[in-house]
Amino acid sequence: MKKILSVGLYLFYDAIILYLFFGVLQIDLLENYGIAMLFELLGMVILGCVILGNVFFRSIKVGYFVPLIMVTIVYLVLLHVTNLMLVMVMNSVLFLLLNLVFFFVYCLVSIPMFLMGKR
């Protein structure tokens, strides 16, 4: 039951984000469409790996899992704010650079937490 609920909530979250992009913003008509969708899909995969990976595979220690979830949520909030508000007004080079900086900082913080939690 726990696995079904986790997968269901994860898919519901993904559907909400995709509806915001395609239904509300009509992002497919914008210049930064490809960059925004690439990083949004990357964020969805990261969230899926962090949450569903702990449900289906070997668990991470709680002391490392909670901060990893918090860092992932902060990254996703920054990613969504950036992609929802700045996708229309930024040029593509600066938009890509901003998304890459956010992703680099997230990896810099989360990868050591994940590796230490697996030990």
Side-chain angles (χ1 to χ4, degrees), residues 16-87:
I16 290 171
I17 295 300
L18 289 175
Y19 175 74
L20 278 173
F21 278 109
F22 289 105
V24 176
L25 285 180
Q26 297 177 351
I27 196 171
D28 52 341
L29 304 175
L30 300 175
E31 176 186 1
N32 293 328
Y33 163 72
I35 298 168
M37 287 313 303
L38 173 74
F39 282 97
E40 283 296 329
L41 290 174
L42 185 65
M44 289 177 189
V45 167
I46 288 172
L47 184 65
C49 288
V50 169
I51 291 176
L52 299 178
N54 206 34
V55 171
F56 289 107
F57 303 115
R58 195 177 85 186
S59 295
I60 301 174
K61 295 176 188 171
V62 175
Y64 293 101
F65 182 67
V66 172
L68 184 61
I69 289 289
M70 292 173 63
V71 168
T72 303
I73 289 172
V74 168
Y75 169 68
L76 288 176
V77 167
L78 284 174
L79 181 71
H80 295 327
V81 167
T82 301
N83 286 341
L84 288 173
M85 295 192 168
L86 301 178
V87 69

